[in-house]
Amino acid sequence: TQLLEQSPQFLSIQEGENLTVYCNSSSVFSSLQWYRQEPGEGPVLLVTVVTGGEVKKLKRLTFQFGDARKDSSLHITAAQPGDTGLYLCAGANPGGYQKVTFGTGTKLQVIP
Amino acid sequence: DAGVIQSPRHEVTEMGQEVTLRCKPISGHNSLFWYRQTMMRGLELLIYFNNNVPIDDSGMPEDRFSAKMPNASFSTLKIQPSEPRDSAVYFCASSFEVAGTGELFFGEGSRLTVL
């Protein structure tokens, strides 16, 4: 079973602060995705990274895929209350079929 | 365009009863996934289908759980008999790509409470 461990599990910060969420595994993934989930809804995709060492930016969010394609990080600059939610990383296993395994999740609260 | 549609949104039932959850994936998507989400275990993959064929059901907890996908536009997840520990939010998701980087589109989930 492929496990994706996220840290921290919970994060409560003030508006304007920066933060980094980590996603680690001992397995290699063909791609890694980050989702955000709000209460009462399903996860929504933020970004997909495919190449080892890849960095993608989405406004104030920066995503990085580790060189060995086993880990990833999400950095948020100047967090806003609208960033509040559950952040999930998800790895797609190499091979012919897309099996996507989700990480343990990081619950972020941004206080105004 | 309609997204992934799940029903029911909420179900409360008593232990021992049969529960059937339904999912209509996005038209044209060829992969369908059933996940279960709890506070303790997070988002767990139960089973996924590709072109209506079950590819991996290793996440199905036990024989009380079964899933079918009779055609490209419909899938069911059945629990019989249900137990209190089955209480969770069950998500269905669909995707277009067979391998690699396909985005998963999730439904709003079915919240199951077994008393």
Side-chain angles (χ1 to χ4, degrees), chain A residues 81-97:
Chain A
D83 296 327
T84 294
L86 178 67
Y87 288 81
L88 295 158
C89 63
N93 68 314
Y97 291 104

Side-chain angles (χ1 to χ4, degrees), chain B residues 96-113:
Chain B
F96 176 67
E97 292 183 87
V98 171
T101 65
E103 173 182 359
L104 295 185
F105 291 81
F106 282 81
E108 294 184 307
S110 294
R111 181 177 292 276
L112 173 64
T113 302

Side-chain angles (χ1 to χ4, degrees), chain A residues 5-82:
Chain A
E5 296 286 339
Q6 287 185 237
S7 61
Q9 271 189 292
F10 302 97
L11 194 53
S12 182
I13 61 171
Q14 294 290 328
E15 182 177 356
E17 292 184 4
N18 302 332
L19 67 115
T20 302
V21 177
Y22 299 93
C23 173
N24 294 295
S25 175
S26 57
S27 302
V28 175
F29 295 99
S30 59
S31 68
L32 197 137
Q33 302 169 344
W34 284 92
Y35 290 78
R36 183 170 74 201
Q37 184 180 19
E38 299 190 18
E41 299 180 7
V44 176
L45 182 74
L46 295 173
V47 78
T48 299
V49 285
V50 179
T51 307
E54 182 178 1
V55 176
K56 277 192 175 178
K57 290 193 175 184
L58 185 66
K59 296 184 181 178
R60 294 175 294 101
L61 278 60
T62 302
F63 305 86
Q64 185 163 8
F65 202 9
D67 291 341
R69 292 186 291 135
K70 293 182 179 181
D71 54 81
S72 181
S73 64
L74 157 60
H75 183 78
I76 302 179
T77 303
Q80 299 178 1

Side-chain angles (χ1 to χ4, degrees), chain A residues 30-31 33 35 37 40-43 45 48 50 86 88 92 95-104, chain B residues 9 31 33 35 37 43 45 48 50 55-56 58 91 95 97-104 106-108:
Chain A
S30 59
S31 68
Q33 302 169 344
Y35 290 78
Q37 184 180 19
E41 299 180 7
L45 182 74
T48 299
V50 179
L86 178 67
L88 295 158
Y97 291 104
Q98 178 190 9
K99 180 175 180 177
V100 179
T101 304
F102 279 80
T104 48
Chain B
R9 288 296 312 277
S31 293
F33 304 76
Y35 286 89
Q37 188 174 40
L43 202 58
L45 177 63
Y48 75 99
N50 181 257
I55 301 301
D56 187 336
S58 59
F91 286 101
S95 176
E97 292 183 87
V98 171
T101 65
E103 173 182 359
L104 295 185
F106 282 81
E108 294 184 307

Side-chain angles (χ1 to χ4, degrees), chain B residues 66-83:
Chain B
S66 62
K68 293 182 180 178
M69 191 165 185
N71 57 62
S73 59
F74 184 66
S75 178
T76 60
L77 177 68
K78 187 176 290 187
I79 309 172
Q80 167 62 21
S82 59
E83 295 182 4

